[in-house]
Amino acid sequence: MLPLLWLAFIAPPAVIDQAPVALPQPVVVQRVLAPPRCEPARCLSGEWNASAMATIPGGQRRIDGQDLPGSGVRLLLADAQRRDWMKPQGSNARVGLQYGVQAETPPGTQLRLAFDTGFRLQAYADDGIAGTGPVLRGQLEWQQALGERTRLSQTTRVETGQHGTFLRNSLQLKLALQPGLVLSSGVEMRRDSDVAGRNQTDATLNLRYAF
């Protein structure tokens, strides 16, 4: 390193003046003085503008992320006065499609019926039969008001498939003793045609107070 520094100090000026000087190319100079500008992206035909999208027929709506199986959202039908619905279902236990209807009843009474077709992924879960495979399900929900403070309700679920039939029936009576204090009693029955150990009948009595 020292000999090179010594050579640089003792070299005559004529040698330094004759050293070639590297000049940049004209294209490089032009790019440095006037760099290209990036134009913002835009849609020529307005593909991403909501106003340019195709209109939806009356009574329908777009399907979004909340309408995926398992979300529990009812698919709206064209007629808002109808009392029936279709609902996709999906979980770790089963997947399928449900059709239900709410019957016209007198004041103080509610009656709902639902029918499911699907595939069971896990046995026993979610009031299911003792095996996997295609299944048919039915559900009945009934509520009857017995005065201003008393309500009687019943829920019946049945599922059948290649591994027998499972039935669950629950009957419950609720009595409002005072605001915030409710007395409820009920009887629940479970029956499995293939697994006798699942057959069970329970009676409950609860007193609930809301603070």
Side-chain angles (χ1 to χ4, degrees), residues 74 82-86 98-104 110-115 139-141:
R74 298 181 184 178
R82 296 180 60 173
R83 295 176 175 268
D84 56 348
W85 68 86
M86 294 184 64
Q98 180 187 88
Y99 172 78
V101 59
Q102 182 172 349
E104 294 186 5
Q110 294 183 7
L111 180 61
R112 292 156 54 99
L113 298 172
F115 305 94
Q139 179 170 315
L140 168 66
E141 296 180 6

mmCIF file with all atom_site columns, all heavy atoms in Angstrom, residues 74 82-86 98-104 110-115 139-141:
data_model
loop_
_atom_site.group_PDB
_atom_site.id
_atom_site.type_symbol
_atom_site.label_atom_id
_atom_site.label_alt_id
_atom_site.label_comp_id
_atom_site.label_asym_id
_atom_site.label_entity_id
_atom_site.label_seq_id
_atom_site.pdbx_PDB_ins_code
_atom_site.Cartn_x
_atom_site.Cartn_y
_atom_site.Cartn_z
_atom_site.occupancy
_atom_site.B_iso_or_equiv
_atom_site.pdbx_formal_charge
_atom_site.auth_seq_id
_atom_site.auth_comp_id
_atom_site.auth_asym_id
_atom_site.auth_atom_id
_atom_site.pdbx_PDB_model_num
ATOM 1   N N   . ARG A 1 74  ? -79.823  -17.453 7.444  1.00 0.00 ? 74  ARG A N   1
ATOM 2   C CA  . ARG A 1 74  ? -80.851  -17.941 6.546  1.00 0.00 ? 74  ARG A CA  1
ATOM 3   C C   . ARG A 1 74  ? -80.723  -17.279 5.180  1.00 0.00 ? 74  ARG A C   1
ATOM 4   O O   . ARG A 1 74  ? -80.461  -16.096 5.082  1.00 0.00 ? 74  ARG A O   1
ATOM 5   C CB  . ARG A 1 74  ? -82.243  -17.666 7.123  1.00 0.00 ? 74  ARG A CB  1
ATOM 6   C CG  . ARG A 1 74  ? -82.511  -18.375 8.438  1.00 0.00 ? 74  ARG A CG  1
ATOM 7   C CD  . ARG A 1 74  ? -83.912  -18.060 8.925  1.00 0.00 ? 74  ARG A CD  1
ATOM 8   N NE  . ARG A 1 74  ? -84.152  -18.650 10.232 1.00 0.00 ? 74  ARG A NE  1
ATOM 9   C CZ  . ARG A 1 74  ? -85.284  -18.509 10.911 1.00 0.00 ? 74  ARG A CZ  1
ATOM 10  N NH1 . ARG A 1 74  ? -86.259  -17.776 10.404 1.00 0.00 ? 74  ARG A NH1 1
ATOM 11  N NH2 . ARG A 1 74  ? -85.421  -19.069 12.093 1.00 0.00 ? 74  ARG A NH2 1
ATOM 12  N N   . ARG A 1 82  ? -93.238  -15.077 2.923  1.00 0.00 ? 82  ARG A N   1
ATOM 13  C CA  . ARG A 1 82  ? -93.176  -16.525 3.136  1.00 0.00 ? 82  ARG A CA  1
ATOM 14  C C   . ARG A 1 82  ? -92.582  -16.831 4.502  1.00 0.00 ? 82  ARG A C   1
ATOM 15  O O   . ARG A 1 82  ? -91.729  -16.111 5.009  1.00 0.00 ? 82  ARG A O   1
ATOM 16  C CB  . ARG A 1 82  ? -92.351  -17.181 2.030  1.00 0.00 ? 82  ARG A CB  1
ATOM 17  C CG  . ARG A 1 82  ? -92.969  -17.040 0.660  1.00 0.00 ? 82  ARG A CG  1
ATOM 18  C CD  . ARG A 1 82  ? -92.133  -17.695 -0.399 1.00 0.00 ? 82  ARG A CD  1
ATOM 19  N NE  . ARG A 1 82  ? -91.947  -19.118 -0.160 1.00 0.00 ? 82  ARG A NE  1
ATOM 20  C CZ  . ARG A 1 82  ? -91.362  -19.928 -1.041 1.00 0.00 ? 82  ARG A CZ  1
ATOM 21  N NH1 . ARG A 1 82  ? -90.918  -19.444 -2.187 1.00 0.00 ? 82  ARG A NH1 1
ATOM 22  N NH2 . ARG A 1 82  ? -91.229  -21.195 -0.779 1.00 0.00 ? 82  ARG A NH2 1
ATOM 23  N N   . ARG A 1 83  ? -93.020  -17.950 5.075  1.00 0.00 ? 83  ARG A N   1
ATOM 24  C CA  . ARG A 1 83  ? -92.583  -18.361 6.397  1.00 0.00 ? 83  ARG A CA  1
ATOM 25  C C   . ARG A 1 83  ? -91.612  -19.536 6.345  1.00 0.00 ? 83  ARG A C   1
ATOM 26  O O   . ARG A 1 83  ? -91.367  -20.164 7.370  1.00 0.00 ? 83  ARG A O   1
ATOM 27  C CB  . ARG A 1 83  ? -93.802  -18.745 7.251  1.00 0.00 ? 83  ARG A CB  1
ATOM 28  C CG  . ARG A 1 83  ? -94.736  -17.576 7.542  1.00 0.00 ? 83  ARG A CG  1
ATOM 29  C CD  . ARG A 1 83  ? -95.968  -18.042 8.301  1.00 0.00 ? 83  ARG A CD  1
ATOM 30  N NE  . ARG A 1 83  ? -96.812  -16.924 8.699  1.00 0.00 ? 83  ARG A NE  1
ATOM 31  C CZ  . ARG A 1 83  ? -96.727  -16.297 9.864  1.00 0.00 ? 83  ARG A CZ  1
ATOM 32  N NH1 . ARG A 1 83  ? -95.837  -16.690 10.756 1.00 0.00 ? 83  ARG A NH1 1
ATOM 33  N NH2 . ARG A 1 83  ? -97.523  -15.288 10.156 1.00 0.00 ? 83  ARG A NH2 1
ATOM 34  N N   . ASP A 1 84  ? -91.099  -19.871 5.191  1.00 0.00 ? 84  ASP A N   1
ATOM 35  C CA  . ASP A 1 84  ? -90.154  -20.985 5.094  1.00 0.00 ? 84  ASP A CA  1
ATOM 36  C C   . ASP A 1 84  ? -88.761  -20.456 4.799  1.00 0.00 ? 84  ASP A C   1
ATOM 37  O O   . ASP A 1 84  ? -88.570  -19.297 4.455  1.00 0.00 ? 84  ASP A O   1
ATOM 38  C CB  . ASP A 1 84  ? -90.591  -21.988 4.023  1.00 0.00 ? 84  ASP A CB  1
ATOM 39  C CG  . ASP A 1 84  ? -90.767  -21.329 2.662  1.00 0.00 ? 84  ASP A CG  1
ATOM 40  O OD1 . ASP A 1 84  ? -90.781  -20.079 2.614  1.00 0.00 ? 84  ASP A OD1 1
ATOM 41  O OD2 . ASP A 1 84  ? -90.897  -22.037 1.660  1.00 0.00 ? 84  ASP A OD2 1
ATOM 42  N N   . TRP A 1 85  ? -87.755  -21.302 4.946  1.00 0.00 ? 85  TRP A N   1
ATOM 43  C CA  . TRP A 1 85  ? -86.370  -20.905 4.757  1.00 0.00 ? 85  TRP A CA  1
ATOM 44  C C   . TRP A 1 85  ? -85.531  -22.108 4.342  1.00 0.00 ? 85  TRP A C   1
ATOM 45  O O   . TRP A 1 85  ? -85.941  -23.264 4.508  1.00 0.00 ? 85  TRP A O   1
ATOM 46  C CB  . TRP A 1 85  ? -85.803  -20.301 6.046  1.00 0.00 ? 85  TRP A CB  1
ATOM 47  C CG  . TRP A 1 85  ? -85.634  -21.287 7.165  1.00 0.00 ? 85  TRP A CG  1
ATOM 48  C CD1 . TRP A 1 85  ? -84.556  -22.103 7.410  1.00 0.00 ? 85  TRP A CD1 1
ATOM 49  C CD2 . TRP A 1 85  ? -86.596  -21.597 8.177  1.00 0.00 ? 85  TRP A CD2 1
ATOM 50  N NE1 . TRP A 1 85  ? -84.776  -22.884 8.515  1.00 0.00 ? 85  TRP A NE1 1
ATOM 51  C CE2 . TRP A 1 85  ? -86.011  -22.587 9.012  1.00 0.00 ? 85  TRP A CE2 1
ATOM 52  C CE3 . TRP A 1 85  ? -87.869  -21.140 8.483  1.00 0.00 ? 85  TRP A CE3 1
ATOM 53  C CZ2 . TRP A 1 85  ? -86.687  -23.118 10.115 1.00 0.00 ? 85  TRP A CZ2 1
ATOM 54  C CZ3 . TRP A 1 85  ? -88.526  -21.660 9.576  1.00 0.00 ? 85  TRP A CZ3 1
ATOM 55  C CH2 . TRP A 1 85  ? -87.941  -22.627 10.374 1.00 0.00 ? 85  TRP A CH2 1
ATOM 56  N N   . MET A 1 86  ? -84.371  -21.811 3.814  1.00 0.00 ? 86  MET A N   1
ATOM 57  C CA  . MET A 1 86  ? -83.347  -22.813 3.516  1.00 0.00 ? 86  MET A CA  1
ATOM 58  C C   . MET A 1 86  ? -82.055  -22.341 4.163  1.00 0.00 ? 86  MET A C   1
ATOM 59  O O   . MET A 1 86  ? -81.697  -21.166 4.044  1.00 0.00 ? 86  MET A O   1
ATOM 60  C CB  . MET A 1 86  ? -83.173  -23.008 2.013  1.00 0.00 ? 86  MET A CB  1
ATOM 61  C CG  . MET A 1 86  ? -84.379  -23.594 1.322  1.00 0.00 ? 86  MET A CG  1
ATOM 62  S SD  . MET A 1 86  ? -84.090  -23.909 -0.439 1.00 0.00 ? 86  MET A SD  1
ATOM 63  C CE  . MET A 1 86  ? -82.806  -25.172 -0.335 1.00 0.00 ? 86  MET A CE  1
ATOM 64  N N   . GLN A 1 98  ? -80.766  -27.545 5.310  1.00 0.00 ? 98  GLN A N   1
ATOM 65  C CA  . GLN A 1 98  ? -82.019  -27.617 6.063  1.00 0.00 ? 98  GLN A CA  1
ATOM 66  C C   . GLN A 1 98  ? -83.106  -26.797 5.370  1.00 0.00 ? 98  GLN A C   1
ATOM 67  O O   . GLN A 1 98  ? -82.867  -25.691 4.896  1.00 0.00 ? 98  GLN A O   1
ATOM 68  C CB  . GLN A 1 98  ? -81.811  -27.088 7.484  1.00 0.00 ? 98  GLN A CB  1
ATOM 69  C CG  . GLN A 1 98  ? -83.072  -27.117 8.347  1.00 0.00 ? 98  GLN A CG  1
ATOM 70  C CD  . GLN A 1 98  ? -82.866  -26.440 9.689  1.00 0.00 ? 98  GLN A CD  1
ATOM 71  O OE1 . GLN A 1 98  ? -83.043  -25.236 9.822  1.00 0.00 ? 98  GLN A OE1 1
ATOM 72  N NE2 . GLN A 1 98  ? -82.454  -27.217 10.688 1.00 0.00 ? 98  GLN A NE2 1
ATOM 73  N N   . TYR A 1 99  ? -84.298  -27.379 5.336  1.00 0.00 ? 99  TYR A N   1
ATOM 74  C CA  . TYR A 1 99  ? -85.479  -26.659 4.886  1.00 0.00 ? 99  TYR A CA  1
ATOM 75  C C   . TYR A 1 99  ? -86.465  -26.618 6.048  1.00 0.00 ? 99  TYR A C   1
ATOM 76  O O   . TYR A 1 99  ? -86.758  -27.653 6.666  1.00 0.00 ? 99  TYR A O   1
ATOM 77  C CB  . TYR A 1 99  ? -86.132  -27.340 3.682  1.00 0.00 ? 99  TYR A CB  1
ATOM 78  C CG  . TYR A 1 99  ? -87.470  -26.730 3.317  1.00 0.00 ? 99  TYR A CG  1
ATOM 79  C CD1 . TYR A 1 99  ? -87.530  -25.536 2.624  1.00 0.00 ? 99  TYR A CD1 1
ATOM 80  C CD2 . TYR A 1 99  ? -88.666  -27.347 3.695  1.00 0.00 ? 99  TYR A CD2 1
ATOM 81  C CE1 . TYR A 1 99  ? -88.742  -24.951 2.297  1.00 0.00 ? 99  TYR A CE1 1
ATOM 82  C CE2 . TYR A 1 99  ? -89.886  -26.775 3.367  1.00 0.00 ? 99  TYR A CE2 1
ATOM 83  C CZ  . TYR A 1 99  ? -89.927  -25.577 2.670  1.00 0.00 ? 99  TYR A CZ  1
ATOM 84  O OH  . TYR A 1 99  ? -91.117  -25.002 2.355  1.00 0.00 ? 99  TYR A OH  1
ATOM 85  N N   . GLY A 1 100 ? -86.970  -25.431 6.359  1.00 0.00 ? 100 GLY A N   1
ATOM 86  C CA  . GLY A 1 100 ? -87.879  -25.287 7.479  1.00 0.00 ? 100 GLY A CA  1
ATOM 87  C C   . GLY A 1 100 ? -89.054  -24.411 7.139  1.00 0.00 ? 100 GLY A C   1
ATOM 88  O O   . GLY A 1 100 ? -89.036  -23.648 6.167  1.00 0.00 ? 100 GLY A O   1
ATOM 89  N N   . VAL A 1 101 ? -90.083  -24.520 7.958  1.00 0.00 ? 101 VAL A N   1
ATOM 90  C CA  . VAL A 1 101 ? -91.288  -23.740 7.767  1.00 0.00 ? 101 VAL A CA  1
ATOM 91  C C   . VAL A 1 101 ? -91.874  -23.418 9.127  1.00 0.00 ? 101 VAL A C   1
ATOM 92  O O   . VAL A 1 101 ? -91.837  -24.240 10.046 1.00 0.00 ? 101 VAL A O   1
ATOM 93  C CB  . VAL A 1 101 ? -92.315  -24.508 6.900  1.00 0.00 ? 101 VAL A CB  1
ATOM 94  C CG1 . VAL A 1 101 ? -92.697  -25.829 7.541  1.00 0.00 ? 101 VAL A CG1 1
ATOM 95  C CG2 . VAL A 1 101 ? -93.559  -23.656 6.657  1.00 0.00 ? 101 VAL A CG2 1
ATOM 96  N N   . GLN A 1 102 ? -92.360  -22.205 9.266  1.00 0.00 ? 102 GLN A N   1
ATOM 97  C CA  . GLN A 1 102 ? -93.053  -21.777 10.468 1.00 0.00 ? 102 GLN A CA  1
ATOM 98  C C   . GLN A 1 102 ? -94.543  -21.747 10.171 1.00 0.00 ? 102 GLN A C   1
ATOM 99  O O   . GLN A 1 102 ? -95.016  -20.962 9.348  1.00 0.00 ? 102 GLN A O   1
ATOM 100 C CB  . GLN A 1 102 ? -92.566  -20.400 10.923 1.00 0.00 ? 102 GLN A CB  1
ATOM 101 C CG  . GLN A 1 102 ? -93.218  -19.912 12.205 1.00 0.00 ? 102 GLN A CG  1
ATOM 102 C CD  . GLN A 1 102 ? -92.579  -18.641 12.735 1.00 0.00 ? 102 GLN A CD  1
ATOM 103 O OE1 . GLN A 1 102 ? -91.525  -18.235 12.253 1.00 0.00 ? 102 GLN A OE1 1
ATOM 104 N NE2 . GLN A 1 102 ? -93.201  -18.030 13.718 1.00 0.00 ? 102 GLN A NE2 1
ATOM 105 N N   . ALA A 1 103 ? -95.288  -22.620 10.831 1.00 0.00 ? 103 ALA A N   1
ATOM 106 C CA  . ALA A 1 103 ? -96.705  -22.769 10.538 1.00 0.00 ? 103 ALA A CA  1
ATOM 107 C C   . ALA A 1 103 ? -97.496  -21.587 11.080 1.00 0.00 ? 103 ALA A C   1
ATOM 108 O O   . ALA A 1 103 ? -97.109  -20.951 12.066 1.00 0.00 ? 103 ALA A O   1
ATOM 109 C CB  . ALA A 1 103 ? -97.233  -24.077 11.132 1.00 0.00 ? 103 ALA A CB  1
ATOM 110 N N   . GLU A 1 104 ? -98.605  -21.319 10.422 1.00 0.00 ? 104 GLU A N   1
ATOM 111 C CA  . GLU A 1 104 ? -99.512  -20.271 10.894 1.00 0.00 ? 104 GLU A CA  1
ATOM 112 C C   . GLU A 1 104 ? -100.297 -20.810 12.088 1.00 0.00 ? 104 GLU A C   1
ATOM 113 O O   . GLU A 1 104 ? -100.966 -21.841 12.002 1.00 0.00 ? 104 GLU A O   1
ATOM 114 C CB  . GLU A 1 104 ? -100.454 -19.844 9.776  1.00 0.00 ? 104 GLU A CB  1
ATOM 115 C CG  . GLU A 1 104 ? -99.733  -19.154 8.617  1.00 0.00 ? 104 GLU A CG  1
ATOM 116 C CD  . GLU A 1 104 ? -100.709 -18.614 7.602  1.00 0.00 ? 104 GLU A CD  1
ATOM 117 O OE1 . GLU A 1 104 ? -101.942 -18.699 7.861  1.00 0.00 ? 104 GLU A OE1 1
ATOM 118 O OE2 . GLU A 1 104 ? -100.268 -18.104 6.553  1.00 0.00 ? 104 GLU A OE2 1
ATOM 119 N N   . GLN A 1 110 ? -96.565  -21.040 18.822 1.00 0.00 ? 110 GLN A N   1
ATOM 120 C CA  . GLN A 1 110 ? -95.538  -21.047 17.784 1.00 0.00 ? 110 GLN A CA  1
ATOM 121 C C   . GLN A 1 110 ? -95.223  -22.488 17.414 1.00 0.00 ? 110 GLN A C   1
ATOM 122 O O   . GLN A 1 110 ? -95.051  -23.334 18.304 1.00 0.00 ? 110 GLN A O   1
ATOM 123 C CB  . GLN A 1 110 ? -94.268  -20.348 18.253 1.00 0.00 ? 110 GLN A CB  1
ATOM 124 C CG  . GLN A 1 110 ? -94.438  -18.863 18.507 1.00 0.00 ? 110 GLN A CG  1
ATOM 125 C CD  . GLN A 1 110 ? -93.157  -18.188 18.910 1.00 0.00 ? 110 GLN A CD  1
ATOM 126 O OE1 . GLN A 1 110 ? -92.085  -18.805 18.880 1.00 0.00 ? 110 GLN A OE1 1
ATOM 127 N NE2 . GLN A 1 110 ? -93.233  -16.926 19.296 1.00 0.00 ? 110 GLN A NE2 1
ATOM 128 N N   . LEU A 1 111 ? -95.135  -22.758 16.116 1.00 0.00 ? 111 LEU A N   1
ATOM 129 C CA  . LEU A 1 111 ? -94.851  -24.104 15.627 1.00 0.00 ? 111 LEU A CA  1
ATOM 130 C C   . LEU A 1 111 ? -93.912  -24.007 14.443 1.00 0.00 ? 111 LEU A C   1
ATOM 131 O O   . LEU A 1 111 ? -94.213  -23.318 13.462 1.00 0.00 ? 111 LEU A O   1
ATOM 132 C CB  . LEU A 1 111 ? -96.144  -24.813 15.215 1.00 0.00 ? 111 LEU A CB  1
ATOM 133 C CG  . LEU A 1 111 ? -95.986  -26.239 14.683 1.00 0.00 ? 111 LEU A CG  1
ATOM 134 C CD1 . LEU A 1 111 ? -95.373  -27.146 15.750 1.00 0.00 ? 111 LEU A CD1 1
ATOM 135 C CD2 . LEU A 1 111 ? -97.320  -26.795 14.200 1.00 0.00 ? 111 LEU A CD2 1
ATOM 136 N N   . ARG A 1 112 ? -92.762  -24.686 14.561 1.00 0.00 ? 112 ARG A N   1
ATOM 137 C CA  . ARG A 1 112 ? -91.750  -24.686 13.503 1.00 0.00 ? 112 ARG A CA  1
ATOM 138 C C   . ARG A 1 112 ? -91.349  -26.121 13.195 1.00 0.00 ? 112 ARG A C   1
ATOM 139 O O   . ARG A 1 112 ? -91.122  -26.931 14.112 1.00 0.00 ? 112 ARG A O   1
ATOM 140 C CB  . ARG A 1 112 ? -90.512  -23.897 13.924 1.00 0.00 ? 112 ARG A CB  1
ATOM 141 C CG  . ARG A 1 112 ? -90.743  -22.406 14.073 1.00 0.00 ? 112 ARG A CG  1
ATOM 142 C CD  . ARG A 1 112 ? -89.731  -21.761 15.001 1.00 0.00 ? 112 ARG A CD  1
ATOM 143 N NE  . ARG A 1 112 ? -88.359  -22.046 14.601 1.00 0.00 ? 112 ARG A NE  1
ATOM 144 C CZ  . ARG A 1 112 ? -87.590  -21.207 13.901 1.00 0.00 ? 112 ARG A CZ  1
ATOM 145 N NH1 . ARG A 1 112 ? -88.067  -20.026 13.544 1.00 0.00 ? 112 ARG A NH1 1
ATOM 146 N NH2 . ARG A 1 112 ? -86.359  -21.525 13.607 1.00 0.00 ? 112 ARG A NH2 1
ATOM 147 N N   . LEU A 1 113 ? -91.240  -26.419 11.894 1.00 0.00 ? 113 LEU A N   1
ATOM 148 C CA  . LEU A 1 113 ? -90.814  -27.729 11.426 1.00 0.00 ? 113 LEU A CA  1
ATOM 149 C C   . LEU A 1 113 ? -89.589  -27.557 10.544 1.00 0.00 ? 113 LEU A C   1
ATOM 150 O O   . LEU A 1 113 ? -89.504  -26.597 9.766  1.00 0.00 ? 113 LEU A O   1
ATOM 151 C CB  . LEU A 1 113 ? -91.930  -28.426 10.639 1.00 0.00 ? 113 LEU A CB  1
ATOM 152 C CG  . LEU A 1 113 ? -93.226  -28.740 11.390 1.00 0.00 ? 113 LEU A CG  1
ATOM 153 C CD1 . LEU A 1 113 ? -94.287  -29.240 10.421 1.00 0.00 ? 113 LEU A CD1 1
ATOM 154 C CD2 . LEU A 1 113 ? -92.979  -29.775 12.482 1.00 0.00 ? 113 LEU A CD2 1
ATOM 155 N N   . ALA A 1 114 ? -88.636  -28.482 10.652 1.00 0.00 ? 114 ALA A N   1
ATOM 156 C CA  . ALA A 1 114 ? -87.423  -28.414 9.838  1.00 0.00 ? 114 ALA A CA  1
ATOM 157 C C   . ALA A 1 114 ? -87.018  -29.822 9.422  1.00 0.00 ? 114 ALA A C   1
ATOM 158 O O   . ALA A 1 114 ? -87.170  -30.785 10.196 1.00 0.00 ? 114 ALA A O   1
ATOM 159 C CB  . ALA A 1 114 ? -86.291  -27.742 10.612 1.00 0.00 ? 114 ALA A CB  1
ATOM 160 N N   . PHE A 1 115 ? -86.484  -29.935 8.203  1.00 0.00 ? 115 PHE A N   1
ATOM 161 C CA  . PHE A 1 115 ? -86.017  -31.202 7.662  1.00 0.00 ? 115 PHE A CA  1
ATOM 162 C C   . PHE A 1 115 ? -84.617  -30.992 7.101  1.00 0.00 ? 115 PHE A C   1
ATOM 163 O O   . PHE A 1 115 ? -84.367  -30.024 6.390  1.00 0.00 ? 115 PHE A O   1
ATOM 164 C CB  . PHE A 1 115 ? -86.963  -31.718 6.574  1.00 0.00 ? 115 PHE A CB  1
ATOM 165 C CG  . PHE A 1 115 ? -88.395  -31.844 7.023  1.00 0.00 ? 115 PHE A CG  1
ATOM 166 C CD1 . PHE A 1 115 ? -89.293  -30.803 6.815  1.00 0.00 ? 115 PHE A CD1 1
ATOM 167 C CD2 . PHE A 1 115 ? -88.836  -32.982 7.666  1.00 0.00 ? 115 PHE A CD2 1
ATOM 168 C CE1 . PHE A 1 115 ? -90.610  -30.900 7.231  1.00 0.00 ? 115 PHE A CE1 1
ATOM 169 C CE2 . PHE A 1 115 ? -90.151  -33.092 8.087  1.00 0.00 ? 115 PHE A CE2 1
ATOM 170 C CZ  . PHE A 1 115 ? -91.040  -32.045 7.870  1.00 0.00 ? 115 PHE A CZ  1
ATOM 171 N N   . GLN A 1 139 ? -86.903  -31.953 12.851 1.00 0.00 ? 139 GLN A N   1
ATOM 172 C CA  . GLN A 1 139 ? -86.975  -31.216 14.110 1.00 0.00 ? 139 GLN A CA  1
ATOM 173 C C   . GLN A 1 139 ? -88.317  -30.513 14.222 1.00 0.00 ? 139 GLN A C   1
ATOM 174 O O   . GLN A 1 139 ? -88.811  -29.920 13.260 1.00 0.00 ? 139 GLN A O   1
ATOM 175 C CB  . GLN A 1 139 ? -85.843  -30.197 14.200 1.00 0.00 ? 139 GLN A CB  1
ATOM 176 C CG  . GLN A 1 139 ? -85.847  -29.372 15.476 1.00 0.00 ? 139 GLN A CG  1
ATOM 177 C CD  . GLN A 1 139 ? -84.594  -28.541 15.642 1.00 0.00 ? 139 GLN A CD  1
ATOM 178 O OE1 . GLN A 1 139 ? -83.482  -29.025 15.424 1.00 0.00 ? 139 GLN A OE1 1
ATOM 179 N NE2 . GLN A 1 139 ? -84.755  -27.296 16.040 1.00 0.00 ? 139 GLN A NE2 1
ATOM 180 N N   . LEU A 1 140 ? -88.903  -30.595 15.414 1.00 0.00 ? 140 LEU A N   1
ATOM 181 C CA  . LEU A 1 140 ? -90.167  -29.952 15.720 1.00 0.00 ? 140 LEU A CA  1
ATOM 182 C C   . LEU A 1 140 ? -89.981  -29.063 16.938 1.00 0.00 ? 140 LEU A C   1
ATOM 183 O O   . LEU A 1 140 ? -89.475  -29.514 17.973 1.00 0.00 ? 140 LEU A O   1
ATOM 184 C CB  . LEU A 1 140 ? -91.246  -30.997 16.002 1.00 0.00 ? 140 LEU A CB  1
ATOM 185 C CG  . LEU A 1 140 ? -92.554  -30.487 16.624 1.00 0.00 ? 140 LEU A CG  1
ATOM 186 C CD1 . LEU A 1 140 ? -93.299  -29.586 15.635 1.00 0.00 ? 140 LEU A CD1 1
ATOM 187 C CD2 . LEU A 1 140 ? -93.432  -31.639 17.068 1.00 0.00 ? 140 LEU A CD2 1
ATOM 188 N N   . GLU A 1 141 ? -90.378  -27.796 16.825 1.00 0.00 ? 141 GLU A N   1
ATOM 189 C CA  . GLU A 1 141 ? -90.327  -26.857 17.935 1.00 0.00 ? 141 GLU A CA  1
ATOM 190 C C   . GLU A 1 141 ? -91.730  -26.286 18.137 1.00 0.00 ? 141 GLU A C   1
ATOM 191 O O   . GLU A 1 141 ? -92.304  -25.695 17.219 1.00 0.00 ? 141 GLU A O   1
ATOM 192 C CB  . GLU A 1 141 ? -89.331  -25.726 17.654 1.00 0.00 ? 141 GLU A CB  1
ATOM 193 C CG  . GLU A 1 141 ? -87.893  -26.189 17.520 1.00 0.00 ? 141 GLU A CG  1
ATOM 194 C CD  . GLU A 1 141 ? -86.941  -25.043 17.255 1.00 0.00 ? 141 GLU A CD  1
ATOM 195 O OE1 . GLU A 1 141 ? -87.407  -23.882 17.293 1.00 0.00 ? 141 GLU A OE1 1
ATOM 196 O OE2 . GLU A 1 141 ? -85.757  -25.295 17.010 1.00 0.00 ? 141 GLU A OE2 1
#
